[in-house]
């Protein structure tokens, strides 16, 4: 609506009826948590951030909008590893992931009976992240009864040859691959391996296909852990033994002589 200020005093403010009527609604309530999430190697969005009962999240619809900052030189793997929606209707409850300036979501997930594991994850390529941000929407008509955990990881998805094999030249490129995921699907940083978070793309039900596999973690930390545990055990045993000897000696000195009168 455009108002010409030159005629406003003579016309608009003399009218007894409203010029226009509008409505507004607050979005991104406190139960959504922070709006902007700084760039990091890995992280997650947990909804609800706070108890809905405290902030009135049970009685009205909720609309959360998060801006996830990302590094442009890396791909981003997004996956939902916890999902409990109370509504089985995508028009009433849905998570949508957008790229800045795009009208259509790149990734959508809602609770359906036939929702498969591979539909709960996607990889956004670095070439599409030139704006350095990802926009995540969550809309729900039953916000107080739903929860989810959306996790992301920065990685480098390995390109494939025409025959489907991995381009091995990328595996030896300095600074690109520190740890090659099982199946050679992607590369992640060494500090992302065996840190309690699944950072390699793959089926969450197949433990052997990601970086938290017991065989991988034991081979990286098992021997080091055993030496540390052995050293700590030996030191603790020595301290206990010395303490027992000191106590026994003190008791011996305080005991009276049985032959004295």
């Amino acid at each position: 609506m455009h108002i010409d200020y030159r005629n406003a005093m003579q016309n608009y403010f003399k009218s007894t009826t409203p010029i226009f009527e509008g409505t507004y609604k607050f979005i991104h309530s406190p139960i959504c948590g922070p709006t902007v999430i700084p760039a990091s190697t890995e992280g997650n969005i947990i909804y609800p951030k706070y108890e809905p009962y405290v902030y009135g999240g049970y009685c009205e619809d909720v609309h959360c909008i998060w801006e996830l900052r990302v590094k442009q030189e890396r791909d981003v793997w997004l996956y939902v590893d916890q999902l409990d929606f109370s509504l089985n209707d995508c028009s009433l409850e849905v998570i949508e992931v957008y790229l800045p300036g795009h009208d259509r979501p790149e990734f959508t997930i809602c609770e359906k009976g036939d929702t498969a594991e591979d539909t709960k994850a996607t990889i956004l390529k670095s070439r599409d992240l030139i704006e350095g941000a990802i926009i995540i929407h969550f809309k729900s008509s039953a916000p107080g009864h739903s929860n989810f955990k959306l996790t992301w990881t920065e990685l480098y998805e390995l390109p494939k040859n025409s025959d489907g094999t991995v381009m091995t030249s990328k595996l030896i490129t300095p600074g690109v691959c520190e740890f090659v995921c099982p199946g050679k699907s992607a590369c992640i940083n060494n500090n992302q391996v065996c840190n309690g978070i699944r950072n390699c793309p793959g089926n969450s039900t197949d433990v052997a296909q990601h970086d938290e596999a017991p065989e991988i973690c034991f081979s990286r930390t098992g021997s080091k852990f055993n030496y540390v545990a052995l050293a700590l055990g030996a030191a603790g045993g020595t301290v206990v033994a010395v303490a027992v000897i000191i106590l026994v000696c003190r008791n011996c000195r305080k005991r009276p002589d049985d032959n004295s009168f």
Side-chain angles (χ1 to χ4, degrees), residues 79-83 120 148-151 198 204:
Y79 70 96
V80 179
D81 58 352
Q82 295 178 18
L83 181 67
K120 297 181 180 180
F148 68 85
K149 179 181 178 182
L150 177 66
T151 302
R198 185 166 63 95
S204 61

Side-chain angles (χ1 to χ4, degrees), residues 48-246:
K49 179 69 173 180
Y50 304 106
E51 175 56 47
Y53 177 78
V54 177
Y55 292 95
Y58 281 105
C59 303
E60 58 183 16
D61 296 352
V62 69
H63 187 181
C64 301
I65 301 179
W66 296 278
E67 180 181 332
L68 172 60
R69 303 285 175 81
V70 296
K71 300 174 184 177
Q72 300 178 17
E73 65 273 10
R74 288 278 176 172
D75 305 324
V76 176
W77 179 46
L78 287 167
Y79 70 96
V80 179
D81 58 352
Q82 295 178 18
L83 181 67
D84 184 11
F85 282 177
S86 57
L87 301 176
N88 193 18
D89 188 338
C90 293
S91 64
L92 299 177
E93 196 164 42
V94 63
I95 302 172
E96 297 175 325
V97 177
Y98 291 84
L99 295 177
H102 290 215
D103 297 330
R104 299 178 62 86
E106 300 291 323
F107 175 50
T108 301
I109 183 170
C110 53
E111 186 68 282
K112 289 183 177 179
D114 58 349
T115 301
E117 287 294 326
D118 56 355
T119 64
K120 297 181 180 180
T122 188
I123 294 180
L124 301 177
K125 302 296 292 183
S126 59
R127 62 175 178 268
D128 298 323
L129 303 176
I130 55 177
E131 298 292 334
I134 299 171
I135 309 300
I136 301 171
H137 288 195
F138 169 61
K139 296 176 289 186
S140 175
S141 297
H145 305 279
S146 303
N147 63 83
F148 68 85
K149 179 181 178 182
L150 177 66
T151 302
W152 73 85
T153 294
E154 292 182 352
L155 47 75
Y156 181 83
E157 187 179 24
L158 293 173
K160 302 291 180 62
N161 296 310
S162 57
D163 60 355
T165 59
V166 176
M167 290 185 181
T168 55
S169 60
K170 297 294 183 180
L171 298 175
I172 58 176
T173 303
V176 173
C177 281
E178 293 184 1
F179 176 83
V180 182
C181 292
K184 296 182 178 180
S185 59
C187 295
I188 59 177
N189 295 335
N190 279 326
N191 59 7
Q192 295 176 275
V193 183
C194 299
N195 63 349
I197 301 174
R198 185 166 63 95
N199 290 306
C200 280
N203 191 342
S204 61
T205 60
D206 190 353
V207 180
Q209 292 301 314
H210 58 75
D211 53 297
E212 294 297 314
E215 296 81 5
I216 295 176
C217 296
F218 181 78
S219 64
R220 293 172 63 89
T221 61
S223 58
K224 184 183 299 184
F225 173 80
N226 289 339
Y227 284 120
V228 172
L230 181 61
L232 291 176
T238 302
V239 171
V240 172
V242 171
V244 171
I245 293 174
I246 293 175

